Amino acid sequence: MITVSLDAMGGDEGPAVVIPGAAKALERYPDVRFIIYGIESQCLPILERFPKLQAASRFEACEIAVRMDDKPSQALRKGRWRSSMWKSIEAVKTGEADVCVSAGNTGALMAMSKFCLRTMANIERPAIAAIWPTLKGESIVLDVGATVGADAQQLIDFSVMGAAMARALFGVKRPTVGLLNIGVEEIKGQEEVKEAGRLLREAKFLDLDYHGFVEGDDLGKGIVDVVVTEGFAGNIALKTAEGTARQIASYLKSAMSRTWRAKIGYIFARDAFQRLKEKMDPRRGNGGVFLGLNGIVIKSHGGTDVEGFAAAVEVGLDMARNDLRKKIEADLNLYHARRAPALARAGAAL
């Protein structure tokens, strides 16, 4: 049985989306249990409308909610120990919950997660990993917004963590990894990306296959299991893909209702269009995973709806069932244990 702690006050709509979203996830996974943290006067009237969720949950009242426009420093100063966001993260630290899900302020959630859970050994920066739909199935893209900028070693750490996640979720023994760049040629791109590519090519002791550089239009092709980038470019890529999916869906809807012939054609092709709609629905990919922490935290989009939040909860369930944190920790320990002799040999040669 997996227990999920929920920050009910997170997101643009707060408990009006979080609680029905949890109820929808419970319908699909009846064995899940919830600890819901929020302001009592706002949460309990909504929770009472979902008796099955109420029976499978424990509600914990909190004093304050972290606002979507709070700076991380403000959120830590005001919300530490008292807010629904902090308490939902702390439940993972104490072992009461297996995973935390929040649609709250990304910067505040990352700051609180780092402060409460701490980063894994040898990890300087956590990353947010997204599960990305592709023509071949799914791939993992990170970082999609945890931090801006990354040096070569941090990009390698992201590669190791992403490969561990791919092994856990996709069952791939040696995941393929690519670095997102402005071209596939080795001479292109920022120095940090080129250096990371060189180190990945030379690191024969990694349990992954380095593919090389990949471009933005390769993200949807599924040519690699893991795409690695820094948070600024990754977040732009994610938001661009989601916006493009909505744009195409809008175009199709408009085209199918323009003439009576188009409407008749839609009736005959309804099943195909429904499958296309499901494939292109950005809510299905909602839920970024914080990697590199001593605990699992899932970040849902702040503006998501009930279906999208349910999807984020389901991502958290997948991570917990696959024991992702321990697998990433084991891979990182193995990587650094193998890396130390290689560094020593390089130092001796110099």
Side-chain angles (χ1 to χ4, degrees):
M1 184 180 294
I2 304 297
T3 301
V4 180
S5 61
L6 297 177
D7 169 20
M9 308 309 297
D12 296 344
E13 303 296 330
V17 164
V18 171
I19 292 174
K24 187 171 285 290
L26 181 65
E27 291 175 8
R28 299 168 184 166
Y29 299 90
D31 58 337
V32 66
R33 294 295 177 265
F34 295 97
I35 309 173
I36 302 173
Y37 295 90
I39 296 173
E40 190 171 352
S41 61
Q42 297 182 42
C43 294
L44 289 186
I46 300 173
L47 186 58
E48 288 169 359
R49 302 205 304 262
F50 301 94
K52 289 183 179 179
L53 176 63
Q54 199 168 22
S57 304
R58 185 177 93 233
F59 180 77
E60 295 285 347
C62 301
E63 298 177 35
I64 63 172
V66 173
R67 297 179 304 180
M68 294 300 283
D69 59 350
D70 280 345
K71 293 180 179 179
S73 57
Q74 291 176 324
L76 272 173
R77 188 165 56 250
K78 297 177 183 177
R80 192 168 50 188
W81 319 119
R82 300 189 298 156
S83 67
S84 58
M85 182 180 285
W86 176 275
K87 287 183 174 292
S88 62
I89 298 167
E90 191 175 38
V92 175
K93 180 181 180 179
T94 60
E96 290 184 89
D98 300 289
V99 58
C100 162
V101 183
S102 173
N105 178 325
T106 303
L109 185 64
M110 178 57 79
M112 285 192 177
S113 298
K114 286 178 68 176
F115 195 93
C116 185
L117 298 175
R118 305 296 182 183
T119 55
M120 292 178 176
N122 299 307
I123 290 295
E124 183 180 344
R125 291 186 182 183
I128 303 178
I131 300 173
W132 200 285
T134 72
L135 295 175
K136 296 181 179 180
E138 291 178 327
S139 61
I140 294 165
V141 180
L142 73 162
D143 176 23
V144 293
T147 53
V148 174
D151 61 28
Q153 184 55 53
Q154 287 158 359
L155 291 172
I156 294 173
D157 289 338
F158 293 171
S159 301
V160 174
M161 292 192 294
M165 183 172 170
R167 255 191 301 278
L169 293 185
F170 306 152
V172 183
K173 187 174 181 180
R174 288 183 63 86
T176 53
V177 174
L179 293 175
L180 186 64
N181 201 359
I182 59 171
V184 297
E185 299 86 355
E186 295 179 10
I187 61 170
K188 287 188 175 181
Q190 297 177 319
E191 290 303 319
E192 295 84 355
V193 177
K194 291 191 287 187
E195 176 67 7
R198 183 186 66 79
L199 293 172
L200 284 169
R201 281 193 303 274
E202 295 174 358
K204 306 300 182 185
F205 50 85
L206 288 175
D207 288 331
L208 57 86
D209 289 327
Y210 176 58
H211 172 84
F213 295 150
V214 295
E215 297 183 84
D217 60 349
D218 293 324
L219 287 172
K221 296 177 183 177
I223 60 176
V224 292
D225 299 308
V226 181
V227 177
V228 175
T229 183
E230 54 84 32
F232 185 82
N235 190 264
I236 290 175
L238 177 67
K239 299 292 176 59
T240 301
E242 290 172 347
T244 302
R246 292 190 182 96
Q247 182 181 1
I248 293 173
S250 178
Y251 285 162
L252 283 172
K253 184 177 180 181
S254 176
M256 290 298 101
S257 59
R258 184 166 297 173
T259 66
W260 64 269
R261 289 183 178 180
K263 291 177 181 178
I264 293 173
Y266 171 76
I267 292 172
F268 285 106
R270 183 180 300 169
D271 290 344
F273 279 111
Q274 183 60 36
R275 287 194 295 272
L276 177 63
K277 180 182 177 182
E278 291 172 358
K279 282 281 188 182
M280 293 176 58
D281 189 349
R283 298 176 301 177
R284 295 177 67 246
N286 184 38
V289 187
F290 284 9
L291 299 182
L293 299 170
N294 292 306
I296 302 174
V297 177
I298 307 298
K299 171 64 176 77
S300 166
H301 286 317
T304 194
D305 60 9
V306 170
E307 186 65 40
F309 192 82
V313 172
E314 291 164 20
V315 169
L317 293 176
D318 277 345
M319 302 302 110
R321 285 199 182 97
N322 283 284
D323 208 0
L324 180 66
R325 185 188 66 81
K326 288 186 178 179
K327 290 179 179 178
I328 288 176
E329 190 173 39
D331 274 26
L332 284 170
N333 290 338
L334 182 61
Y335 160 62
H336 286 285
R338 291 174 175 177
R339 178 172 174 256
L343 291 175
R345 287 194 299 271
L350 287 173

